[in-house]
Amino acid sequence: MTSFNVAELTDGQRFGAPLILDKHFIVLDQNIGFSKALQTRLVEWGFKTLYSESAEVIDTKPKVIVDTDAPAASPAEFETVDIDLDTLNEEYKDKSNALNAKLKETLSKINLEIKNFPNKNRMENVLTVYNEFMDYTQHVFTRYVTHKEMKIGELSESISLLIDFVKANKKYLLRIQPTEEHKLDKNFLTSHCLRSTILSIVIALQINMPMQKMIDLGVAAIIHEIGQIKLPPQLYLTTKPLSPQARNLLATHTVLGFNIVKDLEFPLPIQVAILEHHERENGQGYPRRLTGNKISAYGKILSVACSYEAITSPRHYKEARSLYEATIELLLNKDKRYDDIVIKALVTAVSLFPIGTYVYLSNGKIAQVTESNPSDPRLPIVELVGEKNEAGNPKTIITDNDKNKIVRVLNKEELKGVQAYIK
């Protein structure tokens, strides 16, 4: 990783790889020249250094070629050619539109294929859409970092697409889990936001939340950590335990995020959800130590979704815990931190043995939980590892309390062996 002093960068410079802010967010694609307007904005925000995977500066602002045969011009006729902020805004708007259009096109094609071929490459298709939503989420964060801009209409439209996709593909989306390789990924913050959004939507669907409210919840979820971009990245990227002072500083991200969306005039319920996603039912959360019914419905849902995602994802300072462990922790609800209705909705949606979990059955077979059982969250639907039905698709069964009873969840070493076998 090469560092570049913002003050020393010159207008028109292009680089061999994207410029990254605080080793976390992409500021400038390698195909776009650096501009004076961008430099001014970065300085205003207090950013002194940018980073790149490449040390190569592949282009600089072109020299002016003088045509000696051309007639002389007066000074008033000369204009400064520059890539100003308006130009950059248009470039980013074009990218937003392109990403949104790509999402729609991909969803249209994949939904058609799913309709015509219900089991053909279903997981691969879902993963394709998931990765495109990840790119879109990253773009939303990057755009705010560089332009202080987020559009509620654009976000709402994208969340509406995501809701429809979750409705049709919940059991596949919930099987996508972050790996250990991703815990040092510079995009882990947006990964957390997207995964929390999917979980929030799953909960909202379970409690039959109206569509418009579900969209507002999804918008709040996708940007609920936006306040962290105003904090030193070492606070959330460190591998070391934080001091009490550092923890207190990190906790300000809820207020910072609230102020960001308030300044952008987002709807009040979205502002409040971002402010309250770390509040707890027992009054031991932050920033206002609210209790019970004083916490908004969106805040309650985000609190559970965000916590569940954090428990099951690897971080710089910890390893991921299993989906089953996360479910049990929420069900125990130690110190009454979370809303019982929200917990019940999540567990009913993902099952007691959550979708994606590998389990050992009483008949000696190994299976992966693929779908919740609406009539009994304790007895989910599973895919038997290595077995196919007559159509050549993975064989699925409903677990029970007899021959197909779930005995236990596979441990980490057993899980590695199963995953190696599947590959």
Side-chain angles (χ1 to χ4, degrees):
M1 187 72 72
T2 303
S3 61
F4 295 92
N5 188 325
V6 170
E8 294 177 356
L9 296 177
T10 60
D11 197 52
Q13 282 185 318
R14 298 172 188 265
F15 302 85
L19 287 182
I20 300 170
L21 182 69
D22 281 335
K23 301 182 181 179
H24 193 71
F25 296 107
I26 296 175
V27 171
L28 192 69
D29 188 82
Q30 67 263 39
N31 297 316
I32 301 175
F34 189 80
S35 75
K36 193 172 183 179
L38 180 57
Q39 185 180 50
T40 300
R41 178 60 58 83
L42 290 167
V43 171
E44 285 176 356
W45 276 57
F47 294 111
K48 299 179 181 179
T49 308
L50 294 177
Y51 304 86
S52 178
E53 297 287 352
S54 171
E56 183 182 10
V57 179
I58 61 175
D59 190 15
T60 59
K61 191 172 183 179
K63 296 180 180 179
V64 176
I65 300 176
V66 179
D67 184 355
T68 56
D69 294 327
S74 64
E77 293 177 50
F78 286 103
E79 293 182 357
T80 301
V81 179
D82 195 6
I83 301 177
D84 59 15
L85 191 57
D86 289 336
T87 302
L88 283 175
N89 276 334
E90 289 304 315
E91 289 171 348
Y92 272 84
K93 285 176 184 176
D94 289 344
K95 185 171 183 180
S96 293
N97 293 335
L99 284 170
N100 204 274
K102 187 180 179 185
L103 277 173
K104 290 181 180 178
E105 182 183 0
T106 302
L107 283 167
S108 177
K109 289 180 179 178
I110 286 177
N111 285 338
L112 181 62
E113 183 168 338
I114 286 172
K115 182 178 179 181
N116 293 331
F117 307 99
N119 296 302
K120 184 180 179 182
N121 301 322
R122 187 74 171 263
M123 193 65 205
E124 290 87 346
N125 285 335
V126 169
L127 187 58
T128 296
V129 176
Y130 176 86
N131 287 331
E132 289 195 13
F133 271 110
M134 188 71 72
D135 290 342
Y136 175 77
T137 307
Q138 179 66 27
H139 172 71
V140 170
F141 273 63
T142 301
R143 179 159 180 75
Y144 184 76
V145 169
T146 57
H147 288 69
K148 292 186 180 178
E149 183 178 281
M150 282 190 294
K151 299 292 187 182
I152 180 65
E154 178 191 294
L155 280 170
S156 296
E157 183 179 6
S158 298
I159 291 299
S160 179
L161 292 173
L162 180 58
I163 290 170
D164 289 341
F165 198 70
V166 173
K167 284 181 182 178
N169 299 282
K170 182 191 78 173
K171 66 180 183 179
Y172 296 96
L173 277 168
L174 291 178
R175 290 163 71 177
I176 301 173
Q177 300 298 321
T179 64
E180 284 293 320
E181 290 78 26
H182 292 157
K183 69 180 177 181
L184 294 175
D185 193 325
K186 59 179 176 291
N187 297 331
F188 93 93
L189 199 60
T190 47
S191 170
H192 167 68
C193 284
L194 176 59
R195 286 167 50 76
S196 296
T197 302
I198 292 170
L199 289 166
S200 295
I201 292 171
V202 165
I203 293 169
L205 288 169
Q206 188 64 40
I207 62 176
N208 296 314
M209 181 178 283
M211 184 63 174
Q212 186 53 56
K213 289 188 175 182
M214 209 177 331
I215 290 173
D216 286 347
L217 170 65
V219 170
I222 206 76
I223 57 172
H224 77 275
E225 300 288 15
I226 194 71
Q228 291 206 34
I229 67 172
K230 288 198 171 185
L231 296 172
Q234 55 267 32
L235 286 177
Y236 47 84
L237 295 177
T238 183
T239 57
K240 299 177 182 179
L242 294 176
S243 67
Q245 294 84 355
R247 283 198 300 272
N248 289 337
L249 180 57
L250 183 59
T252 65
H253 78 275
T254 55
V255 177
L256 293 172
F258 167 78
N259 286 332
I260 286 173
V261 293
K262 181 182 178 183
D263 290 343
L264 292 170
E265 299 182 346
F266 274 41
L268 183 60
I270 294 175
Q271 298 177 27
V272 173
I274 291 171
L275 180 67
E276 295 181 353
H277 73 271
H278 276 289
E279 296 288 0
R280 298 293 181 257
E281 295 289 307
N282 59 10
Q284 297 302 306
Y286 61 85
R288 296 185 292 169
R289 293 187 174 274
L290 299 179
T291 58
N293 292 333
K294 294 179 182 178
I295 305 171
S296 67
Y298 295 166
K300 289 173 181 282
I301 293 172
L302 257 179
S303 173
V304 170
C306 184
S307 297
Y308 185 84
E309 198 288 324
I311 294 169
T312 58
S313 296
R315 290 289 187 264
H316 303 80
Y317 53 87
K318 73 172 184 69
E319 291 187 358
R321 292 163 64 191
S322 72
L323 298 170
Y324 180 68
E325 289 174 311
T327 304
I328 295 301
E329 181 170 322
L330 289 180
L331 279 173
L332 291 174
N333 202 7
K334 186 179 179 181
D335 302 325
K336 298 296 179 182
R337 298 177 186 176
Y338 309 105
D339 185 281
D340 287 328
I341 294 175
V342 178
I343 292 174
K344 183 179 179 181
L346 176 65
V347 174
T348 301
V350 304
S351 89
L352 179 61
F353 298 94
I355 294 171
T357 303
Y358 283 88
V359 294
Y360 186 78
L361 305 180
S362 56
N363 58 16
K365 297 182 179 182
I366 294 174
Q368 184 183 32
V369 178
T370 57
E371 197 169 353
S372 59
N373 182 349
S375 62
D376 193 337
R378 297 168 300 176
L379 305 173
I381 298 168
V382 300
E383 264 184 21
L384 299 176
V385 173
E387 294 194 31
K388 303 285 185 180
N389 60 22
E390 292 180 356
N393 297 314
K395 186 176 181 180
T396 61
I397 60 170
I398 300 176
T399 54
D400 53 36
N401 287 313
D402 190 17
K403 294 182 180 180
N404 296 315
K405 181 179 180 179
I406 294 178
V407 176
R408 61 178 175 83
V409 174
L410 267 60
N411 61 40
K412 288 183 178 180
E413 291 304 314
E414 291 171 330
L415 182 58
K416 287 179 182 178
V418 171
Q419 291 173 333
Y421 168 77
I422 294 173
K423 291 179 181 180

